Amino acid sequence: MTEWTKLLPIKILVTGGGGQVAHDLVMLGKQDSHFDLITLDAVHLDITSPASIQEALDLYMPDYVVNTVAFNNVDAAEHDSEFCYQLNATGVKNLAIECGALSIPLIHLSTDHLFDGHYASGYSEDDEASPLGVFGESKRQGEEFLRQYQPMHIILRVSWIFSPRGDNYLLRTLDKARTLSAIETADDRQGCPTSAVDVGRVILAIIKQLHNGADAWGTYHYCGAEVTTRYRFTEAILAAARQYEELRTTSLVPVSSRTLHAEVDRPASSVLKCKKLLSTFGIRQRPWRNELVAVLRQIYKTKNKTEAKSG
């Protein structure tokens, strides 16, 4: 890389436009002159089509590609396994091949569902994958394809993503809390909630260091700081939300995860150890409780603006 090219903004092509992480990643990129981000949704970039990928890469000529596309519905994956594998495995293979052919580094988001959850103390990057269902297995295969076809890659495994948009546990909990007097929530699952904007921060920090010469390709873990259970996370959501509105829910009912999810088991422990990311890139975990407060503030700010306009 020449000194001249180092002065230019880093051009990043983001797949999965409109998704939680893609949205917040682009938002952060717009606030930093070091980056020039282009985001494409499935209509304009279909990762199951090599021709569509080639067209996008030829048109935008990015320095990096960030793949946020995924089939994330764990239960639905059991019934629609073909489409799940197309997105999570074959799609990643297509991206890896096309990016590899042009020597474009590929940053790919993966998941805590690669593990069976038996290690209560958490999982490191070196622990063997042992998925419990179709979703986890499809993500495992996607990782393997990426390692095979594009050595210049970063796999970033994340867990329990929440944001003000999309389909996530935070928003589903708020919907329930407005209509149900009691909410059943799992008290036998532990993990670390992670905001989408925090994932975006980590991705940009990694890319900036790679662009400045860091030779640190490979697999990394990231999640919010502090291990909690689904039950305790739900408590935190409701406590913070009650600062903004009166909720109908008055009690939480602790139940087993299997009671709530009959289709496929979830990992009992989704704790991801993040020491490798810290030692390699110097990126520290941020407390998910602080992130939760910020996300809820954004949710209610948008809600109030919408209601004011409609009123």
Side-chain angles (χ1 to χ4, degrees):
M1 184 186 305
T2 66
E3 291 301 317
W4 169 250
T5 55
K6 283 186 178 181
L7 297 176
L8 298 174
I10 305 169
K11 185 180 289 187
I12 305 170
L13 178 61
V14 183
T15 70
Q20 298 180 81
V21 174
H23 179 279
D24 287 349
L25 179 60
V26 171
M27 177 192 68
L28 290 173
K30 288 180 178 179
Q31 300 170 8
D32 191 330
S33 61
H34 290 97
F35 301 106
D36 176 17
L37 276 78
I38 305 108
T39 180
L40 298 177
D41 59 21
V43 174
H44 299 94
L45 174 51
D46 177 8
I47 69 169
T48 67
S49 166
S52 178
I53 297 171
Q54 292 170 10
E55 182 179 354
L57 296 181
D58 289 343
L59 178 61
Y60 295 105
M61 295 185 292
D63 298 307
Y64 297 84
V65 171
V66 177
N67 180 41
T68 71
V69 172
F71 187 112
N72 285 322
N73 190 316
V74 178
D75 289 324
E78 299 297 313
H79 302 286
D80 197 0
S81 60
E82 182 177 355
F83 185 47
C84 180
Y85 278 104
Q86 282 182 345
L87 283 184
N88 294 349
T90 306
V92 179
K93 178 182 179 181
N94 294 337
L95 280 170
I97 291 173
E98 301 306 329
C99 287
L102 297 174
S103 297
I104 299 173
L106 177 57
I107 289 82
H108 171 65
L109 289 183
S110 194
T111 176
D112 55 293
H113 278 256
L114 264 73
F115 304 110
D116 57 21
H118 292 163
Y119 291 174
S121 61
Y123 290 87
S124 72
E125 293 82 354
D126 295 329
D127 286 320
E128 184 178 356
S130 182
L132 294 175
V134 170
F135 168 67
E137 176 59 22
S138 69
K139 295 293 286 185
R140 186 196 67 78
Q141 289 189 20
E143 287 192 8
E144 290 303 315
F145 282 135
L146 180 48
R147 295 185 184 100
Q148 179 179 353
Y149 291 105
Q150 171 51 311
M152 291 191 301
H153 70 261
I154 296 289
I155 295 169
L156 186 64
R157 295 174 180 156
V158 295
S159 66
W160 292 20
I161 300 296
F162 65 90
S163 82
R165 61 196 55 81
D167 180 22
N168 62 72
Y169 186 78
L170 165 61
L171 297 182
R172 292 194 299 270
T173 297
L174 289 178
D175 286 342
K176 291 178 181 178
R178 292 172 181 135
T179 58
L180 301 177
S181 60
I183 296 178
E184 293 184 336
T185 181
D187 67 347
D188 58 353
R189 290 183 62 199
Q190 67 171 11
C192 301
T194 315
S195 74
V197 71
D198 198 21
V199 176
R201 171 188 71 91
V202 171
I203 291 172
L204 293 181
I206 290 173
I207 289 177
K208 190 175 290 186
Q209 293 190 47
L210 293 174
H211 206 65
N212 285 313
D215 184 11
W217 309 111
T219 302
Y220 297 87
H221 288 175
Y222 184 76
C223 58
E226 186 191 341
V227 177
T228 190
T229 64
R230 279 293 202 195
Y231 184 92
R232 295 301 181 192
F233 184 39
T234 307
E235 276 189 329
I237 292 170
L238 299 186
R242 286 193 176 100
Q243 299 180 46
Y244 298 96
E245 68 172 312
E246 185 175 346
L247 302 174
R248 185 175 181 185
T249 295
T250 57
S251 65
L252 296 180
V253 181
V255 297
S256 69
S257 180
R258 174 51 75 97
T259 300
L260 298 172
H261 306 289
E263 298 291 339
V264 63
D265 287 339
R266 267 63 169 175
S269 174
S270 291
V271 178
L272 299 175
K273 296 178 180 179
C274 305
K275 291 181 180 179
K276 182 180 176 183
L277 189 74
L278 175 61
S279 63
T280 304
F281 294 105
I283 299 173
R284 296 183 180 277
Q285 294 170 271
R286 287 185 175 176
W288 61 261
R289 291 182 184 274
N290 294 350
E291 297 292 312
L292 175 62
V293 170
V295 167
L296 283 169
R297 184 185 304 120
Q298 184 178 351
I299 288 173
Y300 285 101
K301 182 178 180 180
T302 302
K303 183 174 181 287
N304 291 339
K305 284 184 177 180
T306 302
E307 291 175 351
K309 287 181 180 179
S310 62

